[in-house]
Amino acid sequence: MEKINQLTIKSPEESILNFWNKISRNDKIAFASGFLFCLIVHFFAYTNTLFIHDSIQLLNESDGLQNGRFFINLLMPLVSRITIPWVIGIITSTFLGFCNLFLTKTINISKPLYIIITGSLLASFPVMAANHIYFSSVYIYVFAMLTATLCVYFSDKNVILSGICLIISLSSYQAYLCFAVTLFLVKMLADMMEEKIKGKQVILKGLKYISIIIASTIIYYVLWKGIMFIFDVDVIKYRGYNTFEQTLFENLLSKLFTTIICSLTISCGQTFTLSLPFKIIYTLINILSLVFAFLNIPKKTKNRKFAILIFLFF
């Protein structure tokens, strides 16, 4: 009885205050900057109702199953089936706040000013403005970006959790796979500059990240096929969804060499108009430049700054 009497039951206010005090200053700044900048930048959209065809045509359960975005069925209860700008705006801003928090932690941004700038860039980037055109589903896009960020954040902490986050991102909006891949590259660059990884560690770390991406994508695709089979629905006839497998095997696998060259020469703008020999030459230069960058960035040499520029350019 004495032990029971000695126990102190904290009030809700005290529990909230204790939780708030445990959060670091940078984490508070990161969330607040992402949340507030999203509200400020897109304030007009959140205070006005501007419909386009996608906003008027409300999402339903079969939409997510047919186009591979089956996780949106779990997100839709967050908002009403009627487009309510302020509700969607608050949810979107909350997701963006968490996205900025985990993104800055992932690439080790520690200065408050840089954290704030990162939040402002996330909120004001043209893609984010374009997402708000499709207002009824903008929170889904930002959630996909958040889970893609969590995938990279957990990649060195828990591989399984990292893979799960990427699967959720793909099943919300597949396009943010590119965001995850880019963030993996930026993370590797940041780790090399801080000399957290060197030499063979760079290659091993890269192979680890590639494995996470490939395994998660395969599991996601199997899940999508299984869900369509269970609910007896077909792939939607929209922008090549229904011909994806045929396109994959005919145009990618059967022309793998040409595809690799085209993908490596995309940074050169109009290189697709060049003949194949010139593409091969440019591709070799591209590969050698990237190898030079990866070998020199971890080292404190006079070539380091140049290597960083080479990496960012290619």
Side-chain angles (χ1 to χ4, degrees):
M1 291 294 294
E2 292 180 359
K3 291 183 178 180
I4 295 175
N5 292 331
Q6 290 175 354
L7 292 175
T8 57
I9 301 175
K10 295 182 180 179
S11 65
E13 293 81 3
E14 290 176 328
S15 300
I16 294 173
L17 185 61
N18 288 336
F19 175 75
W20 177 258
N21 291 332
K22 290 179 181 179
I23 302 174
S24 69
R25 177 170 174 264
N26 279 355
D27 288 349
K28 293 174 184 175
I29 293 173
F31 177 81
S33 58
F35 181 86
L36 292 175
F37 271 112
C38 188
L39 281 181
I40 294 169
V41 172
H42 306 288
F43 186 77
F44 184 86
Y46 300 152
T47 54
N48 293 270
T49 305
L50 302 174
F51 287 119
I52 63 167
H53 57 284
D54 278 23
S55 296
I56 295 173
Q57 183 179 356
L58 299 176
L59 296 172
N60 56 62
E61 286 76 7
S62 62
D63 290 336
L65 301 181
Q66 290 181 298
N67 60 18
R69 302 170 190 170
F70 46 86
F71 198 82
I72 67 173
N73 293 330
L74 299 178
L75 292 174
M76 283 191 294
L78 291 175
V79 300
S80 170
R81 284 192 172 274
I82 301 172
T83 300
I84 305 176
W86 259 112
V87 174
I88 294 175
I90 292 296
I91 293 172
T92 301
S93 300
T94 301
F95 286 158
L96 193 72
F98 281 114
C99 184
N100 188 47
L101 190 159
F102 287 105
L103 189 147
T104 51
K105 291 171 75 71
T106 298
I107 56 179
N108 303 317
I109 299 177
S110 56
K111 292 186 177 181
L113 177 61
Y114 296 159
I115 292 173
I116 294 171
I117 291 174
T118 304
S120 67
L121 290 174
L122 277 177
S124 60
F125 202 71
V127 171
M128 189 59 62
N131 286 343
H132 279 76
I133 296 175
Y134 306 95
F135 196 82
S136 60
S137 52
V138 62
Y139 67 100
I140 295 173
Y141 303 146
V142 180
F143 178 80
M145 183 169 67
L146 168 60
T147 47
T149 304
L150 288 173
C151 165
V152 184
Y153 175 77
F154 287 117
S155 59
D156 290 336
K157 305 176 187 297
N158 189 317
V159 174
I160 295 176
L161 188 56
S162 174
I164 291 173
C165 288
L166 187 56
I167 292 170
I168 293 174
S169 179
L170 289 168
S171 57
S172 300
Y173 195 67
Q174 300 93 328
Y176 281 95
L177 173 63
C178 301
F179 183 84
V181 172
T182 303
L183 193 54
F184 271 126
L185 290 172
V186 173
K187 184 179 185 303
M188 286 190 66
L189 177 61
D191 289 344
M192 285 189 291
M193 292 179 66
E194 295 178 3
E195 298 186 352
K196 291 183 178 180
I197 53 176
K198 301 178 182 179
K200 292 182 180 179
Q201 291 178 325
V202 176
I203 298 174
L204 294 175
K205 187 78 71 174
L207 291 174
K208 177 184 176 182
Y209 294 159
I210 291 171
S211 300
I212 292 173
I213 293 168
I214 293 175
S216 301
T217 305
I218 292 173
I219 294 171
Y220 154 75
Y221 190 69
V222 172
L223 282 174
W224 179 25
K225 284 292 185 180
I227 289 172
M228 285 195 298
F229 176 78
I230 292 172
F231 289 93
D232 192 26
V233 294
D234 296 322
V235 182
I236 190 172
K237 294 180 180 179
Y238 174 73
R239 299 202 173 189
Y241 272 98
N242 56 322
T243 60
F244 170 75
E245 293 176 0
Q246 180 183 354
T247 304
L248 176 68
F249 288 101
E250 288 184 0
N251 295 341
L252 178 60
L253 299 182
S254 64
K255 300 178 182 178
L256 184 60
F257 180 69
T258 306
T259 303
I260 292 173
I261 292 174
C262 289
S263 63
L264 287 172
T265 57
I266 193 169
S267 62
C268 197
Q270 298 299 320
T271 52
F272 290 107
T273 61
L274 299 176
S275 60
L276 186 59
F278 284 100
K279 288 182 179 180
I280 294 174
I281 293 172
Y282 179 77
T283 300
L284 291 175
I285 295 173
N286 202 338
I287 293 172
L288 291 173
S289 300
L290 290 174
V291 170
F292 170 81
F294 275 106
L295 290 177
N296 283 274
I297 288 174
K299 301 176 182 178
K300 291 183 177 179
T301 64
K302 60 182 180 181
N303 296 325
R304 191 181 189 191
K305 290 183 179 180
F306 179 69
I308 293 172
L309 291 174
I310 290 292
F311 178 86
L312 293 174
F313 177 78
F314 286 99

